[in-house]
Each structure stands twice: as C-alpha cells, then as structure tokens.
Amino acid sequence: MISLKRHRFDEELDRLLGKAEEIIPAEILPNLPAMECAPDVSDWYEFEGDLWKIGEEIRQCVGEYGLVFNNDQVRRIIKLCLDKRAKRGRQSFVMLLGRKVYHEYADEIIALLNDEDVDGQVIDTVCKMQAGQYVDWIKPFLNHRRTWIRNAAKKYVKKFQ
C-alpha cells in the first residue's frame, strides 16, 4: 500500500513535470543576443528561466518529502533533459539526478556532455552519481573556457582517475 507521503510527493511531482512539459516550445528557438554583463553568453528566454525554476521546485520537493524518484519519474526527467527545445532550462533537471541512487541512468546523462547548454551540469551530475567510467570523456573539459566547468572536470578526474 502506498503511503500518503508518497502519494502526495507523486502528485506534486506529476504536477510540476506536467507544467514543465507544457512550456517547452514546439521547436528549437535560435539563441538570443548576448547579455550585456556576459558578452559570450546569450540571454535567456523567459521559458528557460521558468523551466529552471520548476526543476528547482522539484529539488525542494524531494528535500521536503525525503523521497527518491521512481523509474517512471526518472524517465520523464530524462526526457526533459534530452529535449533540446528546452535549452538551458534543462540544467536544473539534469542536476536532479545527481545522486548515487540514479547511477544506472548515467549513460543517458553523459550523452548530453557535448551539449553546451548543460555540459557543466552533466559533469557535476555524473560525479555525484559516482559514475567514474567517463574520465576520458571528461578530460577535454579540463581546458574549458568557463572556470566552474574546468573545476567540475578537475574534481571528476581527480576522483575517478
């Protein structure tokens, strides 16, 4: 018998995932012009920020209930992660899987490594998954132009090499 706590968690997660799935555009939109404060970074579409916030709401929900995703929920999260139409809004969804309990899904997450919208989050997530089999894939990121991504790659390589 499913507990009331689990039932409430599942309902809230279903609501939030449905909300995220609904706001993804029908097609991949071009990148916006660069932000004034970061000339090498394109500005964010409103939906990207909205998606990112939903992923953060899910993270908080997980903390509040102290539960893990079931397989169907992980599948929906991965589907969102893989949907390039969601652009950088996927970052918070990639990070949702950064726990050892989701290790079996590492191959699906690492497939996003060369996606500039989420590459740093992928490195951090597979590190937290304890998925140490990707050292050769992550080594090229030791020279990434963004410091935080270089540092994530250093941490991963040091931990698993």
Side-chain angles (χ1 to χ4, degrees), residues 71-134:
N71 188 58
D72 290 338
Q73 292 163 339
V74 172
R75 289 272 144 238
R76 282 179 79 184
I77 291 167
I78 289 174
K79 187 175 178 184
L80 283 163
C81 293
L82 296 174
D83 192 338
K84 290 179 183 267
R85 297 173 303 166
K87 299 180 97 41
R88 290 170 292 184
R90 300 174 291 152
Q91 293 173 351
S92 61
F93 289 89
V94 171
M95 294 185 297
L96 287 172
L97 300 176
R99 294 179 62 189
K100 190 173 182 175
V101 69
Y102 305 120
H103 181 274
E104 68 184 277
Y105 304 101
D107 284 347
E108 292 170 87
I109 295 302
I110 201 69
L112 291 166
L113 186 60
N114 291 317
D115 183 332
E116 289 185 7
D117 286 340
V118 294
D119 53 4
Q121 288 79 15
V122 167
I123 294 168
D124 184 62
T125 295
V126 294
C127 188
K128 289 176 180 173
M129 287 175 154
Q130 301 293 311
Q133 63 269 36
Y134 307 112

Side-chain angles (χ1 to χ4, degrees), residues 47-61:
F47 77 85
E48 290 178 280
D50 292 344
L51 282 168
W52 205 99
K53 289 174 191 171
I54 293 169
E56 177 57 20
E57 283 182 66
I58 292 170
R59 186 190 67 77
Q60 290 175 16
C61 186

Side-chain angles (χ1 to χ4, degrees), residues 6 11 17-18 27 50 57 62 65 69 80 95 97 108 113 138 146-149 151-152 155:
R6 181 74 212 195
E11 281 186 338
L17 289 171
E27 59 189 36
D50 292 344
E57 283 182 66
V62 168
Y65 286 93
F69 306 123
L80 283 163
M95 294 185 297
L97 300 176
E108 292 170 87
L113 186 60
I138 290 175
R146 293 203 181 358
T147 303
W148 80 269
I149 294 175
N151 289 340
K155 179 181 174 183

